[in-house]
Amino acid sequence: MKRTHANFLIIGSGIAGLFYALKVAKYGKVIIVTKDKKEESNTRYAQGGIAAVWDMSHDSIEKHIEDTIIAGAGLNDEKIVRMVVSEGPKRVKELIELGARFDKIDNEHYDLAKEGGHTEKRILHYKDITGWEIERTLLEAALKHPNIQILENHFTIDIITQHHLGEIVTSQRTDIECYGAYVLNKLNNEIITVLSNVTVIATGGIGQAYAVTTNPSIATGDGIAMFYRAKGLVKDMEFIQFHPTALYEGKTNEQSFLITEAIRGFGAILRNKSGEAFMKKYDEREELAPRDIVARAIDNEMKIHGSDHVYLDCRHLDRKEFIDHFPNIYNKCMSIGIDPFVDMIPVAPAMHYLCGGIQVDKDGRTSIQRVYAIGECACTGLHGANRLASNSLLEALVFAHNAAEHSIISFNNYIIPDGIPDWNAEGTSHPEEMVLITQARKELQQIMTAYVGIVRSSVRLKRAWDRLELLYQENEALYEKTTVNQPICELRNLICIAYLITKHALRRKKSIGLHYIIDEK
Ligand code: FAD
Ligand code: SIN
């Protein structure tokens, strides 16, 4: 298969891509390309749950809106916040109708949890593996649908635009169109031209740009990078969310295990190296302050005490209830010799979520015609300068629905022009030294962690900029002569993402939300 055709090409099989696929499948042929096993995604690791106003006897849409805007430091788009919070419960109901099981306290009532920044209990969850349950539900439904084809181990290299027809495409052009994508079949190294009326970027996060992250190795920002290369508009990349409590195991460059914020909602206390409960020094909401505040407080305590972690104290919590709610976390801790009822859990902040991304409107439409972006790779305006916990899964559902509704009515008008060439691999050969690629990826992760992390300064940002420039030059030279493969493409994408984060961070001179700069002007 060198060339194939779809009505809807979806890049990514997380919550956003799969929910969209299920909505459009009855209108045409859907191809989902996904670069690893079909279930591998950020979605699969989501723990805490999905925020939605569910119990109107104590909660309200207005309260959820207010919490979202307070967490986002007011930089949110209020209309979008209102839309997501109001429409969200309907979309969650659809997920339940598809078979997602959320924990209940009795036949009628869901067991709603509370997380940082929420003034009410409104998080639906399945134990502490909510993402796994959502991914299972959506994949099962997608696999049954005759119009949906899922291509696992298929890595998207670039989207196809007029550039591939020989036209000059600059970011000034407002008529850039997309006709599909070039996709590498990792099993036989063939590059397929997938032509499609509509292309949906649902490629998730960018955690791998940092040395310590809760994101799996697939989170390399590919969709954002390929969209930016195609001259599309990208926004708010400086807002990098660090989760306050990833399990500290002393490792870098691999996925850190998350200790969900819901545990703090359950009563766990953060303590520094001396055993002091420190959060009251930083915020009256203490352990349940929004994430940017808690992560900075931990960072500060680590610096004061010269330690590389703090502790989460669960020893006073009810053992049975804890194991009932957090079996995955309990088992993980026990597997590495930490009994949460005897020992405190060592935790440290880790890169977790990107608030910025591909700029979209309320329907997930981007600045490139025929391209929608949904899920974590999109910047919708919901999160502002800092995402409220458990709002991401909700956002993915709402925007997947809106994008589906919009594309169903328009995809038939999108004609694919003749003459789109296949991938040109002339003049390239297989890389002789993979170490150049693996080492550069680690270097990039160290640069971003050291200089573009939780606390920034103009000197650190400038240093990152200079180091990234060098990595960029070296990698472009290597890319030009190398037969494409996943590692070099991911590195190229990560360099692009790191460049965008640093560029946007340099542009924002004042601290706000997740962007904290010590020498603000
Ligand atoms: P993903 O689920 O990441 O899916 C992206 C897909 O794109 C993957 O299938 C990937 O393989 C594919 N892909 C990427 N690049 C390419 C390419 N080049 N070619 C082909 N395929 C590609 N949010 C909440 O709201 N509540 C939570 O409790 C919560 N907990 C979290 C816990 C953890 C540990 C993590 C990491 C995140 C958590 N989040 C949570 C955030 C949330 O899980 C993600 O933002 C959300 O799942 C993203 O969904 P998505 O569909 O946009 O992307
Ligand atoms: C968590 O469970 O703490 C993560 C929730 C989120 O990222 O929204």
Side-chain angles (χ1 to χ4, degrees):
M1 177 175 61
K2 195 88 177 133
R3 211 166 244 260
T4 187
H5 185 276
N7 297 116
F8 307 94
L9 166 64
I10 303 167
I11 311 172
S13 57
I15 182 171
L18 291 172
F19 200 61
Y20 174 94
L22 289 167
K23 299 229 159 210
V24 296
K26 71 169 178 238
Y27 301 92
K29 179 177 170 191
V30 177
I31 294 182
I32 302 177
V33 289
T34 189
K35 69 172 166 177
D36 205 286
K37 293 202 193 88
K38 53 189 173 306
E39 63 277 11
E40 188 57 344
S41 55
N42 275 3
T43 301
R44 176 191 173 187
Y45 298 97
Q47 288 188 356
I50 184 161
V53 175
W54 212 256
D55 179 354
M56 291 290 199
S57 68
H58 72 88
D59 201 0
S60 70
I61 297 292
E62 293 310 317
K63 280 191 201 169
H64 190 179
I65 291 173
E66 200 186 353
D67 291 349
T68 301
I69 293 177
I70 290 173
L75 224 63
N76 324 59
D77 179 333
E78 206 176 324
K79 275 203 204 99
I80 294 292
V81 178
R82 183 166 293 281
M83 179 194 83
V84 174
V85 169
S86 315
E87 300 288 311
K90 281 183 240 160
R91 305 288 83 86
V92 177
K93 275 192 192 118
E94 289 172 2
L95 201 56
I96 294 171
E97 279 156 22
L98 282 168
R101 302 161 295 175
F102 294 120
D103 289 351
K104 287 185 160 175
I105 43 174
D106 55 40
N107 273 345
E108 278 174 47
H109 299 96
Y110 284 97
D111 177 24
L112 301 174
K114 193 170 180 181
E115 291 179 356
H118 289 274
T119 51
E120 296 294 342
K121 287 186 168 188
R122 61 168 77 97
I123 321 282
L124 292 124
H125 62 97
Y126 176 73
K127 309 284 178 201
D128 54 353
I129 50 168
T130 310
W132 177 89
E133 174 62 6
I134 292 174
E135 189 68 21
R136 177 200 66 77
T137 304
L138 293 174
L139 267 178
E140 273 180 25
L143 288 169
K144 278 190 214 141
H145 204 293
N147 284 358
I148 300 178
Q149 182 183 17
I150 303 183
L151 299 176
E152 283 184 306
N153 289 306
H154 278 65
F155 180 90
T156 308
I157 305 165
D158 267 319
I159 56 171
I160 302 170
T161 65
Q162 293 101 324
H163 166 76
H164 298 94
L165 289 168
E167 291 181 31
I168 294 174
V169 175
T170 66
S171 48
Q172 268 69 49
R173 269 180 76 161
T174 52
D175 64 342
I176 309 173
E177 291 179 342
C178 175
Y179 312 121
Y182 293 117
V183 178
L184 169 71
N185 177 349
K186 287 161 54 183
L187 305 178
N188 62 8
N189 290 325
E190 185 179 55
I191 297 174
I192 309 166
T193 308
V194 185
L195 299 175
S196 184
N197 305 84
V198 159
T199 301
V200 179
I201 302 182
T203 46
I206 59 107
Q208 291 295 318
Y210 287 81
V212 180
T213 176
T214 62
N215 292 191
S217 65
I218 51 105
T220 52
D222 301 341
I224 301 170
M226 67 183 82
F227 183 79
Y228 183 72
R229 274 196 297 276
K231 311 289 180 215
L233 291 179
V234 169
K235 207 177 161 211
D236 286 356
M237 294 292 285
E238 69 274 36
F239 296 123
I240 300 295
Q241 184 169 74
F242 289 80
H243 196 289
T245 58
L247 179 65
Y248 176 76
E249 297 186 83
K251 299 189 247 175
T252 52
N253 310 109
E254 55 187 89
Q255 184 181 13
S256 298
F257 183 86
L258 183 73
I259 306 290
T260 177
E261 196 154 304
I263 290 199
R264 276 178 280 132
F266 205 71
I269 294 167
L270 284 163
R271 296 188 186 279
N272 61 23
K273 204 179 165 189
S274 316
E276 181 200 356
F278 55 83
M279 269 315 297
K280 55 184 162 301
K281 286 193 302 199
Y282 296 92
D283 195 283
E284 59 185 16
R285 290 161 289 183
E286 301 185 13
E287 268 69 13
L288 287 181
R291 252 174 222 176
D292 54 334
I293 295 169
V294 183
R296 267 199 304 277
I298 294 176
D299 187 66
N300 198 40
E301 290 294 316
M302 284 171 21
K303 285 195 176 117
I304 292 170
H305 291 268
S307 57
D308 36 26
H309 61 273
V310 294
Y311 292 101
L312 193 63
D313 189 358
C314 303
R315 294 172 299 177
H316 55 290
L317 302 177
D318 182 275
R319 186 183 191 103
K320 185 184 168 311
E321 276 197 43
F322 182 95
I323 297 174
D324 236 29
H325 279 82
F326 309 112
N328 184 36
I329 291 172
Y330 177 75
N331 289 335
K332 171 68 187 182
C333 288
M334 293 301 275
S335 78
I336 55 167
I338 297 167
D339 180 342
F341 300 98
V342 177
D343 314 299
M344 292 194 287
I345 305 173
V347 291
M351 190 286 160
H352 183 62
Y353 182 83
L354 171 69
C355 293
I358 299 171
Q359 184 177 322
V360 295
D361 71 2
K362 71 173 190 17
D363 295 317
R365 281 192 296 172
T366 69
S367 62
I368 298 185
Q369 291 168 30
R370 311 176 185 199
V371 177
Y372 297 81
I374 50 177
E376 190 167 338
C377 67
C379 181
T380 64
L382 174 68
H383 309 307
N386 176 35
R387 174 177 68 102
L388 181 67
S390 289
N391 263 358
S392 167
L393 295 170
L394 189 73
E395 176 191 51
L397 290 180
V398 171
F399 278 86
H401 170 86
N402 289 5
E405 296 272 291
H406 192 275
S407 40
I408 287 163
I409 48 170
S410 45
F411 79 98
N412 266 328
N413 303 327
Y414 301 149
I415 309 298
I416 298 169
D418 293 333
I420 292 173
D422 284 333
W423 183 259
N424 181 0
E426 244 172 65
T428 63
S429 60
H430 290 287
E432 280 161 24
E433 294 201 277
M434 279 305 281
V435 67
L436 296 178
I437 298 168
T438 50
Q439 200 49 37
R441 180 162 167 155
K442 283 188 193 147
E443 245 178 81
L444 174 122
Q445 292 169 332
Q446 298 302 343
I447 292 168
M448 294 305 285
T449 301
Y451 304 131
V452 202
I454 297 177
V455 175
R456 300 164 180 178
S457 73
S458 32
V459 175
R460 289 181 209 174
L461 292 176
K462 175 71 174 58
R463 181 161 292 190
W465 185 258
D466 294 343
R467 301 286 191 276
L468 289 170
E469 173 65 26
L470 194 64
L471 274 181
Y472 171 77
Q473 300 294 353
E474 286 172 359
N475 194 59
E476 283 304 293
L478 189 63
Y479 182 83
E480 287 301 310
K481 55 179 191 188
T482 303
T483 310
V484 284
N485 58 71
Q486 182 172 346
I488 198 163
C489 289
E490 286 186 343
L491 175 59
R492 187 171 187 235
N493 293 336
L494 284 169
I495 292 172
C496 173
I497 295 298
Y499 157 82
L500 286 168
I501 296 170
T502 312
K503 180 174 160 187
H504 291 195
L506 276 163
R507 239 167 29 194
R508 194 175 286 282
K509 303 290 181 203
K510 292 232 175 293
S511 295
I512 182 164
L514 296 162
H515 177 66
Y516 186 77
I517 182 147
I518 47 179
D519 55 345
E520 62 179 3
K521 303 207 170 66

